[in-house]
């Protein structure tokens, strides 16, 4: 009962924080859906610590989270239901501790690093904050098929990176104006103009293209779920591409629920007709 309640807690967190992610996850098989909820619950908890717990000792809380998680992984128990569900998922699907540590390292860097001046720095950060999350999900989708996992490892990383960079663009106003944070080395001396915006978008375009080739080889309903997330983010990215740099710096872009419904219908039809 406790383990089931732990998974329900992660499911609630997912639904509260991300409507689009919840919609995509809904189409997975039950066991995989629970596992993806558990992964999202864990990464959201860490992200909340570094991004919103401003009145508290964030580094202390993040270290506590790390220690509690490793205890859960080693002993298969945690009094934190989010960590309980994630640890159970990590053990079941053989999610590597190296990937978990890379994620936590990127979260910790948000506490000490505000600007990324070199592409290598950004790549390392994005690997930990996004790529490995995609790889964790891929472990669930492949469910022990190591050959397929190896084939799809690079596309999964590209998809995680593309999603993350779209989020960076969407949150640029808040990151720059409120958190004094800039992830893009292309933005030099705070200048975000048309040329800079197009350079960033070209990289994201390339990552989306590479990711799509891997998406088409995903097994079962994983293909449908990931395709929904893919086309949702593509719609968001296209909206940002059409906007001026000034607009990106002044508002946070979103996709309406009606538009999300249309995307869902389109992708479901593509899946049924085996277009993807």
């Amino acid at each position: 009962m406790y383990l089931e309640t732990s998974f329900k807690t992660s499911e609630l967190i997912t639904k509260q924080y991300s409507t689009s992610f919840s919609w995509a996850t809904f189409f997975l098989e039950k066991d995989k859906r629970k596992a993806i909820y558990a992964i999202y619950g864990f990464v959201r908890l860490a992200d909340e610590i570094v991004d919103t717990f401003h009145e508290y000792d964030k580094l202390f809380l993040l270290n506590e989270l790390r220690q509690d998680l490793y205890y859960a992984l080693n002993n298969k128990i945690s009094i934190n239901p989010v960590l309980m569900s994630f640890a159970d998922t990590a053990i079941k699907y053989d999610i590597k501790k190296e990937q978990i540590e890379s994620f936590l390292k990127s979260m910790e860097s948000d506490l000490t690093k505000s600007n990324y001046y070199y592409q290598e720095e950004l790549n390392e950060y994005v690997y930990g904050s996004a790529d490995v999350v995609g790889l964790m999900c891929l472990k669930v989708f492949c469910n022990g098929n190591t050959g397929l996992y190896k084939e799809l490892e690079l596309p999964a990383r590209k998809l995680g990176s593309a999603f993350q960079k779209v989020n960076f663009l969407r949150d640029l106003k808040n990151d720059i104006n409120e958190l004094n944070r800039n992830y893009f080395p292309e933005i030099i001396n705070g200048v975000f103009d048309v040329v800079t915006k197009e350079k960033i978008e070209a990289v994201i375009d390339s990552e989306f293209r590479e990711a799509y080739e891997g998406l088409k080889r995903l097994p079962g309903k994983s293909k449908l779920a990931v395709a929904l997330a893919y086309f949702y983010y593509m719609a968001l990215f296209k909206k940002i591409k059409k906007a001026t740099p000034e607009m990106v710096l002044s508002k946070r872009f979103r996709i309406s629920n009606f538009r999300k419904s249309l995307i869902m219908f389109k992708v479901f039809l593509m899946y049924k007709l085996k277009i993807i």
Side-chain angles (χ1 to χ4, degrees), residues 2-46:
Y2 175 64
L3 182 58
E4 189 62 31
T5 302
S6 296
F7 276 102
K8 287 290 185 182
T9 301
S10 292
E11 178 181 350
L12 177 62
I13 290 171
T14 307
K15 291 179 177 178
Q16 286 288 109
Y17 277 93
S18 179
T19 305
S20 56
F21 195 85
S22 300
W23 285 7
T25 307
F26 174 78
F27 289 96
L28 289 168
E29 298 87 350
K30 184 179 178 181
D31 284 351
K32 291 182 179 180
R33 183 164 66 244
K34 287 172 58 178
I36 298 303
Y37 284 147
I39 292 170
Y40 184 91
F42 165 63
V43 300
R44 172 52 61 185
L45 183 58

mmCIF file of all heavy atoms in Angstrom, residues 2-46:
data_model
loop_
_atom_site.group_PDB
_atom_site.id
_atom_site.type_symbol
_atom_site.label_atom_id
_atom_site.label_comp_id
_atom_site.label_asym_id
_atom_site.label_seq_id
_atom_site.Cartn_x
_atom_site.Cartn_y
_atom_site.Cartn_z
ATOM 1 N N TYR A 2 1.958 1.252 0.774
ATOM 2 C CA TYR A 2 2.822 2.431 0.825
ATOM 3 C C TYR A 2 3.472 2.702 -0.522
ATOM 4 O O TYR A 2 3.527 3.851 -0.979
ATOM 5 C CB TYR A 2 3.899 2.251 1.900
ATOM 6 C CG TYR A 2 4.894 3.388 1.924
ATOM 7 C CD1 TYR A 2 4.500 4.684 2.253
ATOM 8 C CD2 TYR A 2 6.226 3.170 1.597
ATOM 9 C CE1 TYR A 2 5.413 5.731 2.252
ATOM 10 C CE2 TYR A 2 7.150 4.210 1.602
ATOM 11 C CZ TYR A 2 6.733 5.489 1.930
ATOM 12 O OH TYR A 2 7.637 6.534 1.925
ATOM 13 N N LEU A 3 3.955 1.638 -1.174
ATOM 14 C CA LEU A 3 4.592 1.819 -2.480
ATOM 15 C C LEU A 3 3.592 2.364 -3.497
ATOM 16 O O LEU A 3 3.910 3.277 -4.270
ATOM 17 C CB LEU A 3 5.179 0.496 -2.980
ATOM 18 C CG LEU A 3 5.917 0.544 -4.319
ATOM 19 C CD1 LEU A 3 7.075 1.527 -4.271
ATOM 20 C CD2 LEU A 3 6.413 -0.852 -4.716
ATOM 21 N N GLU A 4 2.387 1.825 -3.490
ATOM 22 C CA GLU A 4 1.363 2.304 -4.419
ATOM 23 C C GLU A 4 1.025 3.767 -4.142
ATOM 24 O O GLU A 4 0.848 4.577 -5.079
ATOM 25 C CB GLU A 4 0.102 1.447 -4.294
ATOM 26 C CG GLU A 4 -0.952 1.713 -5.360
ATOM 27 C CD GLU A 4 -0.462 1.421 -6.772
ATOM 28 O OE1 GLU A 4 0.379 0.514 -6.945
ATOM 29 O OE2 GLU A 4 -0.912 2.125 -7.702
ATOM 30 N N THR A 5 0.954 4.131 -2.867
ATOM 31 C CA THR A 5 0.690 5.526 -2.503
ATOM 32 C C THR A 5 1.833 6.432 -2.941
ATOM 33 O O THR A 5 1.620 7.579 -3.365
ATOM 34 C CB THR A 5 0.489 5.646 -0.983
ATOM 35 O OG1 THR A 5 -0.591 4.790 -0.577
ATOM 36 C CG2 THR A 5 0.152 7.083 -0.580
ATOM 37 N N SER A 6 3.052 5.924 -2.879
ATOM 38 C CA SER A 6 4.217 6.692 -3.324
ATOM 39 C C SER A 6 4.116 6.998 -4.812
ATOM 40 O O SER A 6 4.383 8.126 -5.249
ATOM 41 C CB SER A 6 5.498 5.907 -3.026
ATOM 42 O OG SER A 6 5.668 5.729 -1.639
ATOM 43 N N PHE A 7 3.728 5.997 -5.603
ATOM 44 C CA PHE A 7 3.554 6.228 -7.041
ATOM 45 C C PHE A 7 2.416 7.220 -7.305
ATOM 46 O O PHE A 7 2.506 8.046 -8.214
ATOM 47 C CB PHE A 7 3.295 4.910 -7.770
ATOM 48 C CG PHE A 7 4.542 4.151 -8.112
ATOM 49 C CD1 PHE A 7 4.942 3.055 -7.367
ATOM 50 C CD2 PHE A 7 5.343 4.552 -9.180
ATOM 51 C CE1 PHE A 7 6.107 2.363 -7.679
ATOM 52 C CE2 PHE A 7 6.503 3.867 -9.506
ATOM 53 C CZ PHE A 7 6.893 2.768 -8.753
ATOM 54 N N LYS A 8 1.367 7.135 -6.505
ATOM 55 C CA LYS A 8 0.248 8.075 -6.665
ATOM 56 C C LYS A 8 0.697 9.505 -6.363
ATOM 57 O O LYS A 8 0.229 10.462 -6.983
ATOM 58 C CB LYS A 8 -0.904 7.681 -5.734
ATOM 59 C CG LYS A 8 -1.675 6.448 -6.158
ATOM 60 C CD LYS A 8 -2.505 6.718 -7.409
ATOM 61 C CE LYS A 8 -3.363 5.521 -7.767
ATOM 62 N NZ LYS A 8 -4.134 5.771 -9.034
ATOM 63 N N THR A 9 1.618 9.643 -5.415
ATOM 64 C CA THR A 9 2.149 10.966 -5.079
ATOM 65 C C THR A 9 2.909 11.560 -6.264
ATOM 66 O O THR A 9 2.725 12.733 -6.619
ATOM 67 C CB THR A 9 3.079 10.873 -3.855
ATOM 68 O OG1 THR A 9 2.359 10.336 -2.752
ATOM 69 C CG2 THR A 9 3.625 12.249 -3.479
ATOM 70 N N SER A 10 3.741 10.743 -6.891
ATOM 71 C CA SER A 10 4.484 11.220 -8.069
ATOM 72 C C SER A 10 3.543 11.520 -9.234
ATOM 73 O O SER A 10 3.761 12.473 -9.992
ATOM 74 C CB SER A 10 5.522 10.170 -8.486
ATOM 75 O OG SER A 10 6.532 10.069 -7.507
ATOM 76 N N GLU A 11 2.503 10.722 -9.371
ATOM 77 C CA GLU A 11 1.501 10.988 -10.412
ATOM 78 C C GLU A 11 0.826 12.333 -10.176
ATOM 79 O O GLU A 11 0.631 13.126 -11.109
ATOM 80 C CB GLU A 11 0.464 9.871 -10.424
ATOM 81 C CG GLU A 11 -0.645 10.082 -11.443
ATOM 82 C CD GLU A 11 -1.694 8.971 -11.422
ATOM 83 O OE1 GLU A 11 -1.463 7.943 -10.751
ATOM 84 O OE2 GLU A 11 -2.740 9.130 -12.082
ATOM 85 N N LEU A 12 0.464 12.604 -8.920
ATOM 86 C CA LEU A 12 -0.173 13.879 -8.584
ATOM 87 C C LEU A 12 0.742 15.056 -8.897
ATOM 88 O O LEU A 12 0.308 16.069 -9.459
ATOM 89 C CB LEU A 12 -0.553 13.897 -7.099
ATOM 90 C CG LEU A 12 -1.158 15.199 -6.568
ATOM 91 C CD1 LEU A 12 -2.471 15.524 -7.279
ATOM 92 C CD2 LEU A 12 -1.381 15.106 -5.061
ATOM 93 N N ILE A 13 2.018 14.930 -8.551
ATOM 94 C CA ILE A 13 2.992 15.991 -8.838
ATOM 95 C C ILE A 13 3.066 16.243 -10.346
ATOM 96 O O ILE A 13 3.063 17.389 -10.795
ATOM 97 C CB ILE A 13 4.379 15.610 -8.280
ATOM 98 C CG1 ILE A 13 4.363 15.666 -6.755
ATOM 99 C CG2 ILE A 13 5.459 16.541 -8.827
ATOM 100 C CD1 ILE A 13 5.611 15.107 -6.105
ATOM 101 N N THR A 14 3.121 15.169 -11.127
ATOM 102 C CA THR A 14 3.196 15.306 -12.583
ATOM 103 C C THR A 14 1.980 16.055 -13.123
ATOM 104 O O THR A 14 2.111 16.983 -13.927
ATOM 105 C CB THR A 14 3.288 13.920 -13.250
ATOM 106 O OG1 THR A 14 4.361 13.184 -12.673
ATOM 107 C CG2 THR A 14 3.515 14.058 -14.748
ATOM 108 N N LYS A 15 0.810 15.666 -12.662
ATOM 109 C CA LYS A 15 -0.430 16.282 -13.169
ATOM 110 C C LYS A 15 -0.577 17.725 -12.718
ATOM 111 O O LYS A 15 -1.132 18.553 -13.452
ATOM 112 C CB LYS A 15 -1.627 15.447 -12.734
ATOM 113 C CG LYS A 15 -1.696 14.100 -13.428
ATOM 114 C CD LYS A 15 -2.883 13.265 -12.967
ATOM 115 C CE LYS A 15 -2.959 11.955 -13.745
ATOM 116 N NZ LYS A 15 -4.077 11.093 -13.292
ATOM 117 N N GLN A 16 -0.082 18.029 -11.526
ATOM 118 C CA GLN A 16 -0.175 19.393 -11.021
ATOM 119 C C GLN A 16 0.776 20.339 -11.750
ATOM 120 O O GLN A 16 0.444 21.483 -12.015
ATOM 121 C CB GLN A 16 0.153 19.421 -9.524
ATOM 122 C CG GLN A 16 -0.944 18.867 -8.636
ATOM 123 C CD GLN A 16 -2.143 19.797 -8.563
ATOM 124 O OE1 GLN A 16 -3.200 19.507 -9.113
ATOM 125 N NE2 GLN A 16 -1.989 20.913 -7.894
ATOM 126 N N TYR A 17 1.949 19.842 -12.108
ATOM 127 C CA TYR A 17 2.991 20.703 -12.661
ATOM 128 C C TYR A 17 3.013 20.749 -14.191
ATOM 129 O O TYR A 17 3.489 21.727 -14.757
ATOM 130 C CB TYR A 17 4.366 20.265 -12.149
ATOM 131 C CG TYR A 17 4.705 20.809 -10.786
ATOM 132 C CD1 TYR A 17 4.438 20.080 -9.636
ATOM 133 C CD2 TYR A 17 5.289 22.065 -10.645
ATOM 134 C CE1 TYR A 17 4.754 20.581 -8.382
ATOM 135 C CE2 TYR A 17 5.606 22.572 -9.393
ATOM 136 C CZ TYR A 17 5.330 21.823 -8.262
ATOM 137 O OH TYR A 17 5.639 22.324 -7.028
ATOM 138 N N SER A 18 2.574 19.698 -14.843
ATOM 139 C CA SER A 18 2.707 19.665 -16.306
ATOM 140 C C SER A 18 1.527 18.963 -16.963
ATOM 141 O O SER A 18 1.476 17.732 -17.016
ATOM 142 C CB SER A 18 4.016 18.966 -16.699
ATOM 143 O OG SER A 18 4.140 18.914 -18.098
ATOM 144 N N THR A 19 0.602 19.761 -17.479
ATOM 145 C CA THR A 19 -0.559 19.201 -18.173
ATOM 146 C C THR A 19 -0.137 18.449 -19.424
ATOM 147 O O THR A 19 -0.595 17.324 -19.680
ATOM 148 C CB THR A 19 -1.540 20.327 -18.566
ATOM 149 O OG1 THR A 19 -1.887 21.064 -17.406
ATOM 150 C CG2 THR A 19 -2.798 19.746 -19.193
ATOM 151 N N SER A 20 0.757 19.058 -20.203
ATOM 152 C CA SER A 20 1.166 18.443 -21.470
ATOM 153 C C SER A 20 1.891 17.120 -21.234
ATOM 154 O O SER A 20 1.666 16.133 -21.935
ATOM 155 C CB SER A 20 2.052 19.400 -22.266
ATOM 156 O OG SER A 20 3.162 19.798 -21.492
ATOM 157 N N PHE A 21 2.775 17.088 -20.242
ATOM 158 C CA PHE A 21 3.511 15.857 -19.931
ATOM 159 C C PHE A 21 2.541 14.779 -19.448
ATOM 160 O O PHE A 21 2.675 13.607 -19.810
ATOM 161 C CB PHE A 21 4.571 16.146 -18.862
ATOM 162 C CG PHE A 21 5.603 15.065 -18.727
ATOM 163 C CD1 PHE A 21 6.724 15.040 -19.543
ATOM 164 C CD2 PHE A 21 5.465 14.073 -17.774
ATOM 165 C CE1 PHE A 21 7.685 14.044 -19.419
ATOM 166 C CE2 PHE A 21 6.419 13.070 -17.637
ATOM 167 C CZ PHE A 21 7.532 13.057 -18.462
ATOM 168 N N SER A 22 1.563 15.169 -18.656
ATOM 169 C CA SER A 22 0.562 14.219 -18.160
ATOM 170 C C SER A 22 -0.241 13.623 -19.303
ATOM 171 O O SER A 22 -0.525 12.420 -19.318
ATOM 172 C CB SER A 22 -0.388 14.906 -17.179
ATOM 173 O OG SER A 22 0.319 15.412 -16.074
ATOM 174 N N TRP A 23 -0.625 14.474 -20.258
ATOM 175 C CA TRP A 23 -1.403 13.991 -21.395
ATOM 176 C C TRP A 23 -0.601 12.968 -22.192
ATOM 177 O O TRP A 23 -1.143 11.938 -22.600
ATOM 178 C CB TRP A 23 -1.796 15.158 -22.287
ATOM 179 C CG TRP A 23 -2.886 16.017 -21.745
ATOM 180 C CD1 TRP A 23 -3.443 15.939 -20.503
ATOM 181 C CD2 TRP A 23 -3.555 17.091 -22.411
ATOM 182 N NE1 TRP A 23 -4.408 16.900 -20.349
ATOM 183 C CE2 TRP A 23 -4.508 17.617 -21.503
ATOM 184 C CE3 TRP A 23 -3.439 17.663 -23.667
ATOM 185 C CZ2 TRP A 23 -5.344 18.684 -21.835
ATOM 186 C CZ3 TRP A 23 -4.269 18.729 -24.002
ATOM 187 C CH2 TRP A 23 -5.214 19.229 -23.095
ATOM 188 N N ALA A 24 0.665 13.255 -22.418
ATOM 189 C CA ALA A 24 1.492 12.329 -23.186
ATOM 190 C C ALA A 24 1.683 11.012 -22.431
ATOM 191 O O ALA A 24 1.575 9.923 -23.003
ATOM 192 C CB ALA A 24 2.850 12.968 -23.474
ATOM 193 N N THR A 25 1.957 11.103 -21.137
ATOM 194 C CA THR A 25 2.211 9.919 -20.322
ATOM 195 C C THR A 25 0.989 9.027 -20.213
ATOM 196 O O THR A 25 1.101 7.803 -20.076
ATOM 197 C CB THR A 25 2.691 10.347 -18.914
ATOM 198 O OG1 THR A 25 3.805 11.238 -19.050
ATOM 199 C CG2 THR A 25 3.103 9.158 -18.078
ATOM 200 N N PHE A 26 -0.193 9.615 -20.283
ATOM 201 C CA PHE A 26 -1.448 8.872 -20.152
ATOM 202 C C PHE A 26 -1.549 7.708 -21.141
ATOM 203 O O PHE A 26 -2.153 6.679 -20.849
ATOM 204 C CB PHE A 26 -2.633 9.831 -20.362
ATOM 205 C CG PHE A 26 -3.968 9.144 -20.399
ATOM 206 C CD1 PHE A 26 -4.594 8.738 -19.231
ATOM 207 C CD2 PHE A 26 -4.606 8.890 -21.610
ATOM 208 C CE1 PHE A 26 -5.829 8.098 -19.265
ATOM 209 C CE2 PHE A 26 -5.831 8.243 -21.662
ATOM 210 C CZ PHE A 26 -6.447 7.850 -20.481
ATOM 211 N N PHE A 27 -0.931 7.843 -22.308
ATOM 212 C CA PHE A 27 -1.078 6.832 -23.357
ATOM 213 C C PHE A 27 -0.128 5.649 -23.188
ATOM 214 O O PHE A 27 -0.213 4.683 -23.949
ATOM 215 C CB PHE A 27 -0.879 7.478 -24.726
ATOM 216 C CG PHE A 27 -2.021 8.369 -25.120
ATOM 217 C CD1 PHE A 27 -1.948 9.737 -24.905
ATOM 218 C CD2 PHE A 27 -3.172 7.841 -25.674
ATOM 219 C CE1 PHE A 27 -3.003 10.561 -25.250
ATOM 220 C CE2 PHE A 27 -4.244 8.658 -26.024
ATOM 221 C CZ PHE A 27 -4.158 10.028 -25.802
ATOM 222 N N LEU A 28 0.746 5.705 -22.210
ATOM 223 C CA LEU A 28 1.658 4.585 -21.983
ATOM 224 C C LEU A 28 0.938 3.408 -21.324
ATOM 225 O O LEU A 28 -0.118 3.573 -20.697
ATOM 226 C CB LEU A 28 2.812 5.026 -21.073
ATOM 227 C CG LEU A 28 3.839 5.977 -21.660
ATOM 228 C CD1 LEU A 28 4.727 6.530 -20.557
ATOM 229 C CD2 LEU A 28 4.675 5.278 -22.735
ATOM 230 N N GLU A 29 1.550 2.220 -21.436
ATOM 231 C CA GLU A 29 1.070 1.076 -20.678
ATOM 232 C C GLU A 29 1.186 1.399 -19.186
ATOM 233 O O GLU A 29 2.050 2.163 -18.769
ATOM 234 C CB GLU A 29 1.895 -0.172 -21.014
ATOM 235 C CG GLU A 29 1.812 -0.611 -22.471
ATOM 236 C CD GLU A 29 2.819 0.070 -23.388
ATOM 237 O OE1 GLU A 29 3.480 1.039 -22.936
ATOM 238 O OE2 GLU A 29 2.950 -0.347 -24.550
ATOM 239 N N LYS A 30 0.335 0.790 -18.363
ATOM 240 C CA LYS A 30 0.216 1.179 -16.954
ATOM 241 C C LYS A 30 1.541 1.165 -16.215
ATOM 242 O O LYS A 30 1.884 2.134 -15.524
ATOM 243 C CB LYS A 30 -0.783 0.255 -16.239
ATOM 244 C CG LYS A 30 -1.029 0.663 -14.789
ATOM 245 C CD LYS A 30 -2.041 -0.247 -14.107
ATOM 246 C CE LYS A 30 -2.228 0.169 -12.657
ATOM 247 N NZ LYS A 30 -3.202 -0.723 -11.964
ATOM 248 N N ASP A 31 2.326 0.098 -16.314
ATOM 249 C CA ASP A 31 3.587 0.003 -15.579
ATOM 250 C C ASP A 31 4.575 1.080 -16.023
ATOM 251 O O ASP A 31 5.265 1.690 -15.195
ATOM 252 C CB ASP A 31 4.217 -1.380 -15.763
ATOM 253 C CG ASP A 31 3.513 -2.444 -14.934
ATOM 254 O OD1 ASP A 31 2.653 -2.072 -14.105
ATOM 255 O OD2 ASP A 31 3.803 -3.639 -15.122
ATOM 256 N N LYS A 32 4.634 1.316 -17.336
ATOM 257 C CA LYS A 32 5.543 2.342 -17.846
ATOM 258 C C LYS A 32 5.062 3.731 -17.446
ATOM 259 O O LYS A 32 5.868 4.615 -17.150
ATOM 260 C CB LYS A 32 5.673 2.224 -19.367
ATOM 261 C CG LYS A 32 6.410 0.970 -19.821
ATOM 262 C CD LYS A 32 6.553 0.921 -21.332
ATOM 263 C CE LYS A 32 7.312 -0.334 -21.765
ATOM 264 N NZ LYS A 32 7.465 -0.416 -23.225
ATOM 265 N N ARG A 33 3.758 3.915 -17.437
ATOM 266 C CA ARG A 33 3.201 5.210 -17.035
ATOM 267 C C ARG A 33 3.587 5.524 -15.587
ATOM 268 O O ARG A 33 4.008 6.640 -15.270
ATOM 269 C CB ARG A 33 1.682 5.194 -17.201
ATOM 270 C CG ARG A 33 1.018 6.527 -16.882
ATOM 271 C CD ARG A 33 -0.402 6.578 -17.413
ATOM 272 N NE ARG A 33 -1.283 5.630 -16.757
ATOM 273 C CZ ARG A 33 -1.889 4.604 -17.361
ATOM 274 N NH1 ARG A 33 -1.680 4.377 -18.641
ATOM 275 N NH2 ARG A 33 -2.688 3.811 -16.687
ATOM 276 N N LYS A 34 3.449 4.547 -14.708
ATOM 277 C CA LYS A 34 3.830 4.738 -13.306
ATOM 278 C C LYS A 34 5.310 5.085 -13.185
ATOM 279 O O LYS A 34 5.694 5.956 -12.401
ATOM 280 C CB LYS A 34 3.537 3.460 -12.508
ATOM 281 C CG LYS A 34 2.070 3.205 -12.238
ATOM 282 C CD LYS A 34 1.853 1.828 -11.605
ATOM 283 C CE LYS A 34 2.616 1.657 -10.318
ATOM 284 N NZ LYS A 34 2.369 0.333 -9.685
ATOM 285 N N ALA A 35 6.135 4.414 -13.952
ATOM 286 C CA ALA A 35 7.577 4.650 -13.896
ATOM 287 C C ALA A 35 7.925 6.061 -14.356
ATOM 288 O O ALA A 35 8.778 6.735 -13.752
ATOM 289 C CB ALA A 35 8.307 3.614 -14.744
ATOM 290 N N ILE A 36 7.282 6.522 -15.425
ATOM 291 C CA ILE A 36 7.565 7.872 -15.926
ATOM 292 C C ILE A 36 7.076 8.925 -14.931
ATOM 293 O O ILE A 36 7.741 9.953 -14.719
ATOM 294 C CB ILE A 36 6.926 8.081 -17.314
ATOM 295 C CG1 ILE A 36 7.517 7.099 -18.331
ATOM 296 C CG2 ILE A 36 7.138 9.515 -17.787
ATOM 297 C CD1 ILE A 36 9.020 7.169 -18.494
ATOM 298 N N TYR A 37 5.938 8.674 -14.297
ATOM 299 C CA TYR A 37 5.486 9.577 -13.226
ATOM 300 C C TYR A 37 6.545 9.668 -12.126
ATOM 301 O O TYR A 37 6.823 10.748 -11.599
ATOM 302 C CB TYR A 37 4.183 9.074 -12.606
ATOM 303 C CG TYR A 37 2.936 9.290 -13.425
ATOM 304 C CD1 TYR A 37 1.880 8.369 -13.371
ATOM 305 C CD2 TYR A 37 2.774 10.419 -14.225
ATOM 306 C CE1 TYR A 37 0.722 8.561 -14.101
ATOM 307 C CE2 TYR A 37 1.617 10.618 -14.967
ATOM 308 C CZ TYR A 37 0.580 9.682 -14.894
ATOM 309 O OH TYR A 37 -0.562 9.877 -15.620
ATOM 310 N N ALA A 38 7.128 8.514 -11.772
ATOM 311 C CA ALA A 38 8.134 8.473 -10.707
ATOM 312 C C ALA A 38 9.376 9.272 -11.086
ATOM 313 O O ALA A 38 9.936 10.009 -10.258
ATOM 314 C CB ALA A 38 8.512 7.029 -10.398
ATOM 315 N N ILE A 39 9.798 9.158 -12.336
ATOM 316 C CA ILE A 39 10.955 9.918 -12.809
ATOM 317 C C ILE A 39 10.651 11.413 -12.781
ATOM 318 O O ILE A 39 11.444 12.220 -12.291
ATOM 319 C CB ILE A 39 11.361 9.466 -14.226
ATOM 320 C CG1 ILE A 39 11.918 8.036 -14.184
ATOM 321 C CG2 ILE A 39 12.401 10.417 -14.831
ATOM 322 C CD1 ILE A 39 12.118 7.410 -15.547
ATOM 323 N N TYR A 40 9.486 11.788 -13.293
ATOM 324 C CA TYR A 40 9.121 13.200 -13.312
ATOM 325 C C TYR A 40 9.024 13.752 -11.888
ATOM 326 O O TYR A 40 9.492 14.868 -11.609
ATOM 327 C CB TYR A 40 7.784 13.416 -14.029
ATOM 328 C CG TYR A 40 7.419 14.882 -14.154
ATOM 329 C CD1 TYR A 40 7.792 15.621 -15.269
ATOM 330 C CD2 TYR A 40 6.730 15.541 -13.129
ATOM 331 C CE1 TYR A 40 7.493 16.973 -15.365
ATOM 332 C CE2 TYR A 40 6.435 16.892 -13.218
ATOM 333 C CZ TYR A 40 6.806 17.600 -14.341
ATOM 334 O OH TYR A 40 6.516 18.949 -14.422
ATOM 335 N N GLY A 41 8.425 12.983 -10.976
ATOM 336 C CA GLY A 41 8.282 13.436 -9.595
ATOM 337 C C GLY A 41 9.624 13.740 -8.966
ATOM 338 O O GLY A 41 9.793 14.771 -8.281
ATOM 339 N N PHE A 42 10.596 12.876 -9.201
ATOM 340 C CA PHE A 42 11.932 13.085 -8.638
ATOM 341 C C PHE A 42 12.608 14.323 -9.223
ATOM 342 O O PHE A 42 13.119 15.174 -8.486
ATOM 343 C CB PHE A 42 12.801 11.852 -8.874
ATOM 344 C CG PHE A 42 14.262 12.103 -8.645
ATOM 345 C CD1 PHE A 42 14.721 12.452 -7.387
ATOM 346 C CD2 PHE A 42 15.168 12.003 -9.694
ATOM 347 C CE1 PHE A 42 16.069 12.704 -7.167
ATOM 348 C CE2 PHE A 42 16.519 12.250 -9.479
ATOM 349 C CZ PHE A 42 16.971 12.600 -8.216
ATOM 350 N N VAL A 43 12.619 14.444 -10.556
ATOM 351 C CA VAL A 43 13.329 15.582 -11.157
ATOM 352 C C VAL A 43 12.627 16.891 -10.830
ATOM 353 O O VAL A 43 13.271 17.932 -10.676
ATOM 354 C CB VAL A 43 13.524 15.405 -12.685
ATOM 355 C CG1 VAL A 43 14.335 14.150 -12.984
ATOM 356 C CG2 VAL A 43 12.209 15.371 -13.435
ATOM 357 N N ARG A 44 11.306 16.853 -10.692
ATOM 358 C CA ARG A 44 10.571 18.061 -10.320
ATOM 359 C C ARG A 44 10.908 18.479 -8.897
ATOM 360 O O ARG A 44 11.077 19.673 -8.602
ATOM 361 C CB ARG A 44 9.074 17.828 -10.478
ATOM 362 C CG ARG A 44 8.178 18.936 -9.934
ATOM 363 C CD ARG A 44 8.534 20.304 -10.453
ATOM 364 N NE ARG A 44 8.414 20.397 -11.896
ATOM 365 C CZ ARG A 44 8.768 21.467 -12.609
ATOM 366 N NH1 ARG A 44 9.298 22.526 -12.012
ATOM 367 N NH2 ARG A 44 8.625 21.485 -13.908
ATOM 368 N N LEU A 45 11.030 17.508 -7.999
ATOM 369 C CA LEU A 45 11.363 17.821 -6.615
ATOM 370 C C LEU A 45 12.723 18.510 -6.522
ATOM 371 O O LEU A 45 12.878 19.530 -5.841
ATOM 372 C CB LEU A 45 11.368 16.528 -5.788
ATOM 373 C CG LEU A 45 11.620 16.664 -4.283
ATOM 374 C CD1 LEU A 45 10.593 17.582 -3.635
ATOM 375 C CD2 LEU A 45 11.581 15.284 -3.624
ATOM 376 N N ALA A 46 13.703 17.981 -7.236
ATOM 377 C CA ALA A 46 15.037 18.598 -7.238
ATOM 378 C C ALA A 46 14.992 19.990 -7.857
ATOM 379 O O ALA A 46 15.622 20.931 -7.356
ATOM 380 C CB ALA A 46 16.014 17.703 -8.002
#
